[in-house]
Amino acid sequence: MSVEKKIFTDAGIEVKELYLPTDIQPNNELPGEFPFTRGVQPDMYRGKLWTMRQYAGFSTAEESNKRYHYLLSQGVSGLSVAFDLPTQIGYDSDHELSDGEVGKVGVAIDSIEDMELLFDGIKVEDITTSMTINATGFILLAFYVALAKIQGANLQKISGTIQNDILKEYAARGTYIYPPKPSMRIITDIFEWCTKELPKWNTISISGYHIREAGSTAVQEIAFTLSNGKAYVQAALQKGMDINIFGKRLSFFFNAHNNLFEEVAKFRAARKMWAVIMKDLGATDPKAMMLRFHTQTGGATLTAQQPLNNVTRVTIQTLAAVLGGTQSLHTNGYDEALSLPTEQAARIALRTQQIVAFESGAPDTVDPLAGSYFVESLTAEVEAAAWQLIEKIDALGGSVDAIEQGYMQEEIARSAYEYQRQIETGEKIIVGVNKFQADEKNTVPGFKIDDSIREVQCEKLRLLKAKRDNQKVAECLQQIQLSAINNTNLMPVVIDAVENYCTLGEIAGELRKVFGEYK
């Protein structure tokens, strides 16, 4: 007698051979209503499609600006900026630690002049901009605000997002500067300032993407992300802020992997869970309970072997995000396991979104997989497993304490190890990697960044420092230090500093003197 083979999702949830009505709890939930499992808008994509973004940034501001104009001409509806490593960790391009990294994994932004070049010919009032920046997010936001003023834009109309999620940096990614507590203070300063001055700006994109890229499961991705979100809300509440106001400007950022149904279930469960969390924390306005999220297809799922297979992977992931109700989407280029995406790869990635939007029929009805015995059952199982993890984190004192104790890091590492073990033993098949290999040479052209970029940026900095009022710069930096010490909101003094041509590295360095560095 043969033993039935058990099948599990990537998160370890067992998949039954057949699902029946008895596997689900009947409910009458409607989209646009608490707890938003079925979507945050009653009509979802029938009313408005998701924002089609393409994450881009490399080399100098001038080179990235050319790519942005190209993407806008191809139909993107929002820009998404990638910054290089020195910009992410608070060093100017001429710092010794920046050597070899300038312009490599994103664009180098050292001053307001770079920000002006980055958006040359693009009116910030007419687009939404997402900036993937965390430890220095407040400085990049200050650059963007200063740019908007230069362009004569109405700050009340400026819309976009800074990622600004420092907790996942300690847990999964590593581009932090300051210790957790002062970092949380900076984030709540941004919440507070934007509520008054930049009301349409999404002040944080609480990110599960990097947690997933580091090796977590889908369940861990939403559990850890929602726990981090809870910590940010609690920090804002402690500062006396109104959850019904700042809660509307919180957004999330999730990954989309290849297990289509588990990913859809993950998105649906996350929406429901966040609504419950926000209600429990005191929110009464439905819009403050809505989990609105951006999705990026899974970078870690892309393979250098047979890279054109990645077009199919990205298509599945795109469908998962759309069927799961995303508000915004970036699709990866098929060549990203080899290099930064070429223009051709970026165009195909965008076309993938456009084909799903206009040819697949997936956006034509709200929450198309609702009522599926399998998807509804899986949504409930993902939710239950995620709540168990959140309860463990709460028992440790919340996200900040759980991260300082190494809990999240250990759980992610354990999942990453198990996933890799399954690939190496053949339990998990990756097409073209451990099965269906092809003996062929890679013919996909790479996209490379020249090391001379650093020389260009250093010369810009030299000229900037020669022409600016350095006495005024010193005064601005002194004000930043005093604001940090006196616990007054940092945003006004940082905006003043960038308008007087203080550099990103100078501002970040001033706060290093007060807050120290996290090791």
Side-chain angles (χ1 to χ4, degrees):
M1 182 177 174
S2 62
V3 178
E4 182 186 343
K5 180 186 177 184
K6 289 190 173 184
I7 294 175
F8 298 89
T9 69
D10 291 340
I13 296 170
E14 186 173 355
V15 178
K16 298 198 298 185
E17 183 176 323
L18 178 66
Y19 286 80
L20 298 168
T22 50
D23 290 302
I24 66 171
Q25 293 291 325
N27 69 67
N28 297 313
E29 288 182 14
L30 292 173
E33 296 181 8
F34 183 89
F36 309 107
T37 311
R38 299 198 59 193
V40 294
Q41 299 296 338
D43 57 356
M44 285 303 288
Y45 305 132
R46 287 174 74 105
K48 180 184 177 184
L49 286 174
W50 62 92
T51 300
M52 297 184 195
R53 299 188 186 277
Q54 284 305 115
Y55 185 47
F58 55 88
S59 185
T60 61
E62 296 93 327
E63 289 301 312
S64 290
N65 175 262
K66 292 176 187 175
R67 177 65 66 89
Y68 295 157
H69 278 286
Y70 171 76
L71 290 170
L72 288 166
S73 75
Q74 296 299 306
V76 300
S77 47
L79 295 178
S80 187
V81 185
F83 298 96
D84 72 356
L85 192 57
T87 302
Q88 292 180 49
I89 57 175
Y91 293 115
D92 289 331
S93 297
D94 59 1
H95 193 282
E96 60 182 2
L97 292 178
S98 299
D99 191 17
E101 294 292 344
V102 176
K104 290 294 177 70
V105 297
V107 62
I109 300 293
D110 294 318
S111 74
I112 181 59
E113 289 188 344
D114 284 329
M115 190 63 95
E116 286 184 79
L117 291 167
L118 187 66
F119 288 92
D120 185 37
I122 301 169
K123 289 187 177 181
V124 297
E125 194 174 311
D126 296 342
I127 58 164
T128 68
T129 301
S130 173
M131 295 189 280
T132 303
I133 195 74
N134 299 285
T136 55
F138 66 107
I139 305 174
L140 272 299
L141 178 59
F143 283 147
Y144 198 78
V145 169
L147 170 68
K149 289 182 180 181
I150 291 167
Q151 290 188 356
N154 182 348
L155 295 187
Q156 299 292 306
K157 296 180 180 178
I158 296 297
S159 62
T161 307
I162 42 171
Q163 192 164 101
N164 195 32
D165 175 5
I166 202 65
L167 291 178
K168 64 95 174 49
E169 296 296 328
Y170 304 113
R173 191 162 174 267
T175 61
Y176 43 73
I177 302 174
Y178 316 112
K181 286 183 173 60
S183 294
M184 292 290 282
R185 172 261 172 100
I186 293 171
I187 287 169
T188 55
D189 278 1
I190 293 169
F191 287 0
E192 185 177 55
W193 185 84
C194 286
T195 295
K196 298 171 186 172
E197 307 294 338
L198 219 63
K200 289 191 174 182
W201 192 263
N202 295 322
T203 51
I204 193 167
S205 179
I206 305 156
S207 177
Y209 185 86
H210 308 91
I211 290 170
R212 192 68 178 279
E213 290 291 284
S216 82
T217 66
V219 168
Q220 289 170 330
E221 179 188 354
I222 61 167
F224 296 166
T225 305
L226 298 184
S227 285
N228 289 347
K230 188 176 175 181
Y232 294 127
V233 172
Q234 289 169 329
L237 289 172
Q238 287 170 7
K239 205 163 185 173
M241 296 178 65
D242 186 341
I243 192 171
N244 286 318
I245 296 176
F246 76 81
K248 297 175 187 177
R249 305 281 20 123
L250 306 178
S251 64
F252 287 79
F253 174 23
F254 290 120
N255 212 312
H257 275 217
N258 291 326
N259 193 313
L260 178 69
F261 297 106
E262 182 171 61
E263 294 301 297
V264 173
K266 176 189 78 178
F267 296 133
R268 299 174 87 247
R271 261 195 304 273
K272 181 178 180 180
M273 293 172 72
W274 183 245
V276 171
I277 288 169
M278 288 296 277
K279 187 174 183 180
D280 288 348
L281 289 171
T284 55
D285 189 324
K287 289 188 176 180
M289 304 179 206
M290 291 179 181
L291 183 145
R292 298 166 300 112
F293 67 99
H294 169 73
T295 309
Q296 181 173 335
T297 57
T301 69
L302 304 180
T303 65
Q305 301 92 329
Q306 301 177 41
L308 289 174
N309 290 345
N310 294 327
V311 175
T312 305
R313 293 185 176 102
V314 170
T315 302
I316 292 169
Q317 295 161 12
T318 301
L319 274 170
V322 171
L323 294 171
T326 193
Q327 277 61 67
S328 167
L329 179 61
H330 162 86
T331 33
N332 290 336
Y334 64 82
D335 55 0
E336 288 188 40
L338 301 165
S339 70
L340 290 169
T342 58
E343 278 196 0
Q344 181 198 48
R347 185 175 66 247
I348 290 173
L350 176 60
R351 294 290 183 259
T352 302
Q353 292 200 51
Q354 291 164 336
I355 290 167
V356 169
F358 300 110
E359 298 184 30
S360 75
D364 293 349
T365 189
V366 180
D367 195 17
L369 296 183
S372 156
Y373 305 142
F374 177 37
V375 170
E376 294 290 1
S377 175
L378 192 53
T379 300
E381 291 203 59
V382 168
E383 181 190 350
W387 279 127
Q388 287 183 344
L389 288 174
I390 289 174
E391 286 166 8
K392 287 183 183 177
I393 292 166
D394 286 344
L396 292 170
S399 275
V400 176
D401 288 343
I403 288 166
E404 288 183 337
Q405 293 170 49
Y407 170 74
M408 285 191 195
Q409 298 93 311
E410 289 172 8
E411 289 297 305
I412 294 167
R414 189 175 294 112
S415 294
Y417 173 83
E418 176 59 20
Y419 187 77
Q420 187 61 33
R421 185 197 65 77
Q422 290 177 6
I423 292 172
E424 292 184 8
T425 61
E427 294 172 57
K428 175 77 178 172
I429 293 172
I430 306 296
V431 174
V433 176
N434 62 356
K435 199 165 186 179
F436 313 115
Q437 297 97 331
D439 185 17
E440 60 183 31
K441 290 183 179 179
N442 172 45
T443 57
V444 174
F447 187 89
K448 302 299 180 187
I449 301 298
D450 197 302
D451 281 331
S452 65
I453 295 304
R454 185 173 187 238
E455 296 170 17
V456 173
Q457 287 299 112
C458 288
E459 179 61 13
K460 283 186 193 173
L461 283 164
R462 188 188 69 77
L463 293 172
L464 175 78
K465 291 175 181 178
K467 71 180 182 183
R468 69 186 184 178
D469 182 343
N470 284 298
Q471 177 60 38
K472 184 64 177 175
V473 165
E475 291 170 6
C476 289
L477 295 175
Q478 178 66 20
Q479 287 302 310
I480 289 172
Q481 188 176 135
L482 289 172
S483 182
I485 292 167
N486 296 332
N487 203 30
T488 57
N489 195 297
L490 283 163
M491 285 304 298
V493 291
V494 173
I495 291 169
D496 185 49
V498 303
E499 289 178 330
N500 283 284
Y501 299 99
C502 293
T503 68
L504 174 133
E506 289 169 336
I507 295 166
E510 205 63 36
L511 292 182
R512 279 184 171 94
K513 296 175 187 175
V514 180
F515 297 147
E517 288 186 283
Y518 183 74
K519 303 291 185 184

